[in-house]
Amino acid sequence: MTNKTQKSKQIRNNWVQMDTLCCGTGWDEADLANPQILVEDVFGSSHPGSIHLDTLAEEVSIGIYQNGGKPANFHGTDICDGWAMSHDGMNFILPSREVLCDLVEVHGRVIPWDGLVVISSCDKSVPAHLMAAARLNIPAIHIPGGSNRAGPDMSHSLLVGELATRMRQGEDVVPEIRNYKLSGCPGAGACQFMGTASTMQCMAEALGMALPGSALAPVSLFEIRRLARRAGRQIMQLSQKGIRPADILTPEAFENAIKVHAALSGSTNALLHLPAIAHELGIDIDAQSFDRINRETPYLVDVQPSGKYVTEMVWYAGGVPRVQIELADILDLDVMTVTGHTLGENLDRLKTEGFFQRCEGYLANYRLKREEVIHRVDDNKGFGSIAVLKGNIAPEGAVVKFSAVGPDMLTHEGPARVFDREEAALAAVMNGRIDPGSVIVLRYEGPRGSGMPEMLATTEALVTNPKLQHTAIVTDGRFSGATRGPCIGHVSPEAVAGGPIALVEDDDLLSIDIPGRNLNIVGHADRRMNPAEVQALLAERKKQWKAPSLVHPRGVLKRYVNQAVSAIKGAYLE
């Protein structure tokens, strides 16, 4: 028994009412004497990524019992970006990360637990759970909720973009929409593309906080339930040994995770979430670290929306462990993980116990070879997938997923079309009021502007319109992990803080240079300007600028917009 466990037991023994309350929920005296583990999940009817998590919590509890512990099941249902699309509910999505993290912290601090298991699948709940685990810093394991099944013809929920655009344009798509409703999410689990949900599952494993091979496991297989039960047994080992998140979530572990993220072509939202998790342990991860690592890391995984295959195929190809094996020469294999072993030891064990052989057997059912989904390093698709741009619009930085950008849009110049809210920009796109080649500038949508909503409705309307294929978006808001095309987000400082994006006007000539990592105003209308002239122009406009009076409802959103740090730092609360 570790000193931490002894201290927890002593605290419980000092106040007999704790045991009385436990007995009032069905515990017996033997339970009271055993190590007590908080099992925290986001089960609920909120979306497919959470509807099945009660079954994983049951398996965890069995595993805890098997190794002599007593589980206590707590819940805090998360929400899905899909519910919030095209209305003000989207403003609450990123703040929900902080709310869920705080809730788990409250659950974890009010009762002296010996360990923690967190179970989640999706965009904000996975980082919230990892943030809470880091903040509590008691022995902890994360269990990813796995992948949904693919729909007919390898379809998935992202296909709503094209259908929604056609519907808004007045086209009769009733049969297609009905089919989509019935098959876009054919079961439980995270969406079948490398959006933020799948990305953050992979990040939990890449950080060493989830069991090897658990991220993206198909919910339709019993393997995911066996992994959950194993996690229940393993948390007892971590508790006994006193291995805590601070022992696992080291700077080296974060660097490993960013390399896996680059190889996967993960969501840009990871640039919000990984720094927020690191912040809980006093570790600073700046945006330039992502850019540096992406320049050096081979891009290996052919997965949607940047590539061809769905996430289920990625797991069959070996998942995160196969990516780590391919990247072994540039990873720190000595980092500690929740197995109680190093990353290198974990990978060796997976090889010898048949994990990759079993996975690739499933892949063979689809007549695919592993190398088609996860390429060898020597057959990589280039280096990196994320770039951090800087310039007179974004002095602190901006983020783009260039692996999802066509080669002909890696560099682009075009006149600005400026909007202060996404709804106005979406209406302009749908009503044909955006000229091809323009650069749509969306501002006052950053963390302190409106809670940093994602822009999937507008980006999908843009990329599904053949006439606007050479049109870009620049915003201080964020994008869905499903976003495709030349979409540059997280512009910092944000507009509401007086960042230069607030000073952009219609017909400013904007230059995007992703290979050169530049984002600049280079002129106005037909007149090109040198950098000094642009700075003088912006300085003059700044004299006339006034911060808008933004009204937010009392409560969560108002607290968030008053306290959130810059997007380029992670948009967490100060």
Side-chain angles (χ1 to χ4, degrees):
M1 185 180 294
T2 66
N3 290 336
K4 179 70 175 178
T5 301
Q6 290 173 335
K7 184 178 180 182
S8 296
K9 189 171 184 179
Q10 182 180 357
I11 293 171
R12 293 193 292 263
N13 289 340
N14 285 341
W15 188 246
V16 69
Q17 190 184 28
M18 289 187 185
D19 287 352
T20 304
L21 293 169
C22 289
C23 289
T25 63
W27 295 32
D28 64 18
E29 290 177 288
D31 293 328
L32 297 173
N34 289 333
Q36 298 174 12
I37 308 296
L38 172 59
V39 180
E40 185 85 42
D41 62 54
V42 290
F43 165 70
S45 299
S46 52
H47 56 92
S50 291
I51 192 65
H52 65 300
L53 297 184
D54 58 334
T55 62
L56 300 188
E58 290 171 5
E59 296 290 349
V60 171
S61 297
I62 292 171
I64 291 170
Y65 279 124
Q66 287 175 335
N67 271 23
K70 177 63 178 82
N73 295 95
F74 284 51
H75 318 279
T77 303
D78 64 344
I79 52 177
C80 177
D81 299 36
W83 289 105
M85 205 67 63
S86 298
H87 67 96
D88 287 345
M90 182 58 74
N91 297 340
F92 291 81
I93 294 291
L94 185 56
S96 76
R97 180 188 71 179
E98 314 303 316
V99 173
L100 182 56
C101 174
D102 289 349
L103 177 63
V104 177
E105 182 195 7
V106 169
H107 291 169
R109 291 205 191 277
V110 173
I111 301 172
W113 303 104
D114 300 303
L116 168 69
V117 179
V118 284
I119 311 171
S120 48
S121 304
C122 291
D123 301 39
K124 308 309 171 293
S125 54
V126 175
H129 276 168
L130 294 175
M131 290 165 66
R135 189 180 296 176
L136 292 167
N137 201 28
I138 60 175
I141 292 181
H142 177 258
I143 298 176
S147 292
N148 206 320
R149 290 304 310 269
D153 300 314
M154 288 295 174
S155 62
H156 47 68
S157 60
L158 179 56
L159 299 181
V160 68
E162 182 178 351
L163 283 173
T165 300
R166 291 165 59 193
M167 180 179 68
R168 290 191 188 103
Q169 292 172 336
E171 188 176 340
D172 181 10
V173 290
V174 171
E176 291 94 330
I177 287 176
R178 180 172 184 269
N179 286 337
Y180 169 78
K181 289 179 180 179
L182 295 175
S183 62
C185 295
C191 296
Q192 279 272 14
F193 49 86
M194 194 55 67
T196 310
S198 296
T199 296
M200 292 314 298
Q201 288 193 34
C202 292
M203 291 299 94
E205 184 177 336
L207 286 167
M209 287 297 294
L211 292 176
S214 57
L216 308 182
V219 176
S220 57
L221 299 182
F222 267 99
E223 180 68 14
I224 194 170
R225 297 183 65 151
R226 287 191 285 269
L227 284 163
R229 189 177 298 193
R230 181 182 159 201
R233 294 193 292 267
Q234 185 59 29
I235 190 60
M236 298 300 298
Q237 295 295 321
L238 293 181
S239 180
Q240 184 178 18
K241 295 177 181 178
I243 298 175
R244 301 175 301 159
D247 302 314
I248 297 169
L249 295 172
T250 61
E252 293 79 12
F254 281 101
E255 183 136 336
N256 279 353
I258 296 171
K259 290 174 181 176
V260 171
H261 179 270
L264 284 169
S265 184
S267 165
T268 54
N269 285 310
L271 277 79
L272 299 172
H273 300 321
L274 289 178
I277 298 163
H279 173 72
E280 298 293 341
L281 291 165
I283 298 171
D284 181 45
I285 299 178
D286 61 25
Q288 290 307 124
S289 297
F290 283 90
D291 193 75
R292 169 182 58 81
I293 291 170
N294 271 266
R295 291 176 185 269
E296 302 166 354
T297 304
Y299 169 29
L300 301 176
V301 183
D302 197 355
V303 61
Q304 296 185 33
S306 300
K308 181 177 181 181
Y309 299 106
V310 295
T311 54
E312 190 175 5
M313 301 302 116
V314 176
W315 190 83
Y316 294 149
V320 170
R322 174 55 64 184
V323 174
Q324 290 170 322
I325 287 172
E326 293 298 331
L327 298 179
D329 289 344
I330 62 171
L331 296 180
D332 186 334
L333 300 179
D334 294 326
V335 294
M336 179 55 62
T337 72
V338 292
T339 65
H341 300 283
T342 67
L343 172 58
E345 290 169 336
N346 290 345
L347 295 178
D348 288 341
R349 288 187 178 204
L350 289 177
K351 292 176 187 176
T352 58
E353 65 89 30
F355 172 77
F356 296 109
Q357 184 179 7
R358 290 193 301 276
C359 286
E360 291 178 30
Y362 286 114
L363 193 63
N365 291 339
Y366 298 88
R367 294 179 171 82
L368 289 172
K369 295 182 179 179
R370 182 253 301 170
E371 296 84 357
E372 295 178 74
V373 182
I374 301 176
H375 300 303
R376 294 188 177 94
V377 168
D378 292 341
D379 300 322
N380 70 73
K381 302 172 68 177
F383 283 83
S385 54
I386 297 287
V388 177
L389 314 184
K390 287 189 173 183
N392 55 34
I393 300 174
E396 294 178 0
V399 178
V400 62
K401 184 173 180 176
F402 67 80
S403 58
V405 179
D408 56 343
M409 285 297 289
L410 293 175
T411 59
H412 178 71
E413 286 190 4
R417 285 294 313 279
V418 181
F419 301 90
D420 290 346
R421 280 289 176 266
E422 185 194 9
E423 293 82 358
L426 177 60
V429 172
M430 298 305 302
N431 295 328
R433 292 187 281 111
I434 300 295
D435 293 329
S438 300
V439 178
I440 297 172
V441 177
L442 262 168
R443 60 195 184 191
Y444 299 110
E445 299 283 22
R448 294 208 173 193
S450 57
M452 206 178 184
E454 71 170 38
M455 311 289 179
L456 183 61
T458 301
T459 58
E460 283 296 291
L462 196 67
V463 299
T464 55
N465 185 336
K467 296 179 180 179
L468 298 179
Q469 296 301 299
H470 293 89
T471 304
I473 295 181
V474 174
T475 181
D476 54 6
R478 64 184 180 89
F479 295 116
S480 165
T483 295
R484 304 165 284 167
C487 301
I488 299 167
H490 305 202
V491 170
S492 299
E494 63 179 287
V496 77
I501 191 172
L503 309 176
V504 180
E505 295 183 358
D506 282 346
D507 295 322
D508 282 348
L509 183 62
L510 304 189
S511 173
I512 299 168
D513 179 2
I514 294 173
R517 301 319 201 243
N518 293 315
L519 178 63
N520 288 292
I521 297 174
V522 294
H524 180 76
D526 296 328
R527 181 180 171 232
R528 297 189 69 84
M529 305 168 74
N530 63 43
E533 290 175 314
V534 173
Q535 288 299 335
L537 176 66
L538 293 177
E540 191 61 33
R541 290 177 182 175
K542 187 65 178 283
K543 295 177 184 177
Q544 309 300 320
W545 178 80
K546 292 183 180 179
S549 178
L550 302 176
V551 179
H552 300 294
R554 294 174 61 85
V556 170
L557 183 57
K558 192 165 188 177
R559 289 195 297 271
Y560 183 79
V561 299
N562 287 337
Q563 299 177 41
V565 303
S566 167
I568 214 68
K569 294 181 179 179
Y572 50 81
L573 296 184
E574 292 183 307

